[in-house]
Amino acid sequence: RALAPPSSQAAPTRSRRQALATLAASESPPMRRVLSSAPAAEMIGAAVAEKAAVRALSARAVSTAAAVATEEGGGISMKTKVPGPVGLRLMEQHGPQGASGGAISLFCDYRASDGCYLVDADGNRMLDMFSQIASLPLGYNHPSLLAAQADPLLATYSTSRCAIGLMPPMELPELLDETFLKIAPAGLSRVQTMLCGSSANENVFKAAMFAYRAKQRAKAGRGPTDFTRDELESCMVNQSPGCANDLSILSFRGGFHGRTMAALTCTHSKPVHKLDAPAFDWPTADFPALQYPLEHHAAENAAEEARCVDGARAIFEARLAEGRPVVGLIIEPILSEGGDLHASPSFFASLQRLCGEFDAAFIVDEVQTGVMASGHMWAHQAWGLPEAPDFVVFSKKALLGGYYFKEAFQPPQGYRIFNTWMGDMTKLLLFRAVLEAAEREGLQARAVSTGAALMRTLEAARERHPRAVRNLRGAGTIIAFDCETPEMRDELAAALRNNGVLVGTNGSQSIRFRPALIFGDEHVDEFEGVFAATLRQLAL
């Protein structure tokens, strides 16, 4: 606390005290006594008393408090460079503790952040168009999520975290119906929650291989779990035939699917992710390198996509001939970490047909593109596929990891797909509130309209600053452009941050936008002013 800015150390402001008084007046007599109690504040501190009050509120009261906070905050407000002196001191303090992996860019004040605005440790209030690596569906401190804190189940699930795969709470089936199964892609009626996108992909790969081996056993007249003694013994020393070392998953250059071992094998976005880590002998195919604007390069792009489909087919054929078949293909609708790489619906449909031809699972990784950001609930829905993918993986805006799957990929016995937590029940409650807010506020439609407004702003900037804004592309609010050089990209991203706008970087020289679903036209207007001023400032 000694390193925090004075505003963070102070007691609640008058308007916040007034908000608490209003909240106390709306509660039962016991809660009013708690909220008004000086001893309570002395015991647990003013900040904790405020947090306890918020958790006990109705949705109406939380909305009132949020309105007060938003009115106090306003728009962009910059006090220092980012990071500022407080942030730099915190980095110095945190370094000997492990530095959270060493990639920290700034420390944040999440209590002071709201809506689409992130406040850092120095009190800088920035328009956040990256939303915690695309993972905040409703921005910061959204009233619906604050109101969800009042659900007694949330307290229960928080204090008694359960092993969902072994002893799930009695509410699990209903909560799945109200959340992930409510928005399931057509043709997919089963879902498995996990901890994150990486763990989801790892278990998808296993499920695909289990199903393939079950088919092999069936051809030999054995059941899916009729294991031979040789299989049982050899798997314990990581050898075939017990371990399916001859099977593989096909992935694409530029793709990113996680940092655990199998997921990392399928990741090809940056060397820093893979250096010094072992990898499986799994194949990698080319992903189309499209030319922009698309309407000016239709023939070239069609030829490029055909080349990549032919290359994927050649891999399937070669591996099958070698007796080590590809049993799954994983692809992102937009290869995000690799530089927001796009392809046409017909390209993805061709990949699905290849999977059908070679009896491989078609796996769509929607960790970064899922949950409305593309304008569809799931970005692959824009492809118009004749049938659902075999797996659809989610995380980020879904608040926890997991995947949808077809019945054919149901694990043949317990403990084959398993870990201690198998997800997080608190996140199911919060995601239910996300979906309710999205429906109430029309956030899927907003992603379409706001994305179009942001594209118009960037198109205008491209005309005036063609070196700084190139290869503009996007779907919904998942938008990116390239700069002329990597150095220009880094300079522009840093200047935007110091001027009050947070954006993401990816690929070698791309800037990407991943705003929250509540991002609106007013935020586009604010960004437009900062963007234009920053481009002039840098003389780009």
Side-chain angles (χ1 to χ4, degrees):
R1 274 199 352 231
L3 293 173
S7 60
S8 297
Q9 299 178 39
T13 62
R14 176 174 298 182
S15 57
R16 287 184 180 269
R17 288 197 299 269
Q18 290 171 342
L20 284 172
T22 300
L23 302 177
S26 70
E27 294 301 315
S28 62
M31 182 55 68
R32 286 201 297 269
R33 287 195 294 273
V34 170
L35 296 178
S36 305
S37 168
E42 292 173 1
M43 283 191 298
I44 62 178
V48 177
E50 185 174 351
K51 184 176 181 180
V54 168
R55 287 186 172 178
L57 302 178
S58 65
R60 178 188 59 79
V62 171
S63 297
T64 301
V68 169
T70 301
E71 182 180 354
E72 288 178 352
I76 294 171
S77 176
M78 301 302 292
K79 301 177 180 179
T80 71
K81 288 185 176 181
V82 181
V86 175
L88 291 173
R89 287 199 296 273
L90 287 168
M91 288 182 182
E92 183 179 357
Q93 178 184 358
H94 187 42
Q97 298 172 335
S100 296
I104 291 174
S105 59
L106 68 157
F107 278 84
C108 305
D109 183 349
Y110 289 104
R111 293 184 64 216
S113 304
D114 66 87
C116 292
Y117 297 92
L118 175 64
V119 178
D120 75 354
D122 287 273
N124 295 303
R125 181 178 169 86
M126 293 164 278
L127 178 63
D128 188 356
M129 299 180 72
F130 194 39
S131 63
Q132 305 294 319
I133 320 178
S135 65
L136 288 184
L138 303 181
Y140 299 96
N141 294 311
H142 191 279
S144 293
L145 294 181
L146 292 177
Q149 306 293 325
D151 189 336
L153 272 179
L154 193 67
T156 296
Y157 294 156
S158 297
T159 56
S160 305
R161 186 173 183 181
C162 59
I164 297 174
L166 191 64
M167 293 175 282
M170 59 189 291
E171 299 87 5
L172 177 62
E174 181 179 5
L175 279 172
L176 288 176
D177 280 338
E178 294 174 346
T179 54
F180 290 106
L181 293 176
K182 180 180 179 180
I183 61 170
L188 296 177
S189 60
R190 300 185 179 221
V191 67
Q192 177 61 64
T193 58
M194 282 287 163
L195 296 174
C196 64
S198 295
S199 63
N201 278 327
E202 292 279 344
N203 284 283
V204 162
F205 300 158
K206 289 166 58 180
M209 293 181 179
F210 295 162
Y212 194 89
R213 290 302 300 270
K215 291 177 183 177
Q216 290 180 322
R217 292 191 181 96
K219 291 178 181 178
R222 296 157 53 197
T225 58
D226 289 342
F227 307 116
T228 66
R229 177 174 295 277
D230 193 15
E231 288 172 333
L232 293 171
E233 293 178 353
S234 62
C235 76
M236 299 304 292
V237 289
N238 303 329
Q239 300 298 311
S240 296
C243 290
N245 297 336
D246 55 328
L247 306 184
S248 62
I249 303 293
L250 174 62
S251 52
F252 289 81
R253 287 184 173 83
F256 182 93
H257 302 288
R259 300 171 192 266
T260 50
M261 297 307 293
L264 189 60
T265 293
C266 293
T267 288
H268 315 284
S269 51
K270 295 184 180 72
V272 69
H273 301 148
K274 298 173 68 72
L275 285 167
D276 299 331
F280 296 110
D281 181 18
W282 292 356
T284 306
D286 286 345
F287 188 83
L290 300 187
Q291 300 180 52
Y292 294 88
L294 295 177
E295 59 271 20
H296 295 167
H297 300 92
E300 298 95 323
N301 289 338
E304 170 69 356
E305 290 188 343
R307 180 187 70 82
C308 293
V309 171
D310 290 344
R313 172 180 289 280
I315 290 172
F316 273 109
E317 292 173 343
R319 287 271 173 155
L320 187 61
E322 295 165 0
R324 45 187 195 141
V326 172
V327 301
L329 177 155
I330 187 166
I331 191 74
E332 301 166 84
I334 299 171
L335 277 58
S336 299
E337 293 294 328
D340 270 33
L341 309 178
H342 291 246
S344 70
S346 63
F347 173 76
F348 294 104
S350 296
L351 296 183
Q352 186 181 45
R353 286 193 295 272
L354 273 180
C355 288
E357 183 178 343
F358 288 91
D359 198 21
F362 185 48
I363 305 163
V364 179
D365 183 343
E366 292 251 25
V367 166
Q368 192 154 151
T369 57
V371 190
M372 295 175 271
S374 70
H376 295 268
M377 182 61 70
W378 305 104
H380 79 268
Q381 291 169 330
W383 300 342
L385 298 175
E387 63 173 298
D390 296 305
F391 295 92
V392 173
V393 185
F394 56 81
S395 191
K396 291 192 181 286
K397 285 186 174 65
L399 302 187
L400 79 169
Y403 57 91
Y404 297 100
F405 62 102
K406 290 181 177 176
E407 183 178 358
F409 295 93
Q410 180 72 38
Q413 61 189 149
Y415 293 104
R416 304 295 296 281
I417 301 293
F418 191 81
N419 58 54
T420 298
W421 302 128
M422 297 288 276
D424 185 337
M425 292 303 300
T426 64
K427 297 301 186 291
L428 278 176
L429 288 176
L430 294 175
F431 191 56
R432 181 176 64 181
V434 167
L435 294 179
E436 290 170 351
E439 184 174 358
R440 185 171 59 248
E441 300 176 25
L443 297 186
Q444 186 169 329
R446 184 184 299 186
V448 175
S449 61
T450 304
L454 181 55
M455 284 292 283
R456 288 192 296 270
T457 292
L458 294 170
E459 286 167 353
R462 179 182 60 190
E463 296 302 314
R464 294 190 296 270
H465 305 275
R467 294 174 56 239
V469 182
R470 298 180 164 197
N471 300 330
L472 181 60
R473 55 206 182 271
T477 55
I478 303 174
I479 295 173
F481 64 84
D482 296 337
C483 295
E484 186 176 58
T485 65
E487 294 76 17
M488 181 183 293
R489 186 273 309 274
D490 294 344
E491 182 184 26
L492 178 55
L496 283 170
R497 187 173 70 178
N498 285 329
N499 290 338
V501 172
L502 283 176
V503 296
T505 59
N506 59 348
S508 61
Q509 57 205 70
S510 301
I511 283 181
R512 59 175 159 167
F513 300 90
R514 298 292 190 274
L517 299 174
I518 61 171
F519 192 80
D521 289 347
E522 68 277 17
H523 302 113
V524 174
D525 292 342
E526 189 171 25
F527 163 74
E528 182 176 16
V530 174
F531 193 48
T534 303
L535 290 170
R536 291 194 301 269
Q537 171 191 336
L538 299 178
L540 298 179

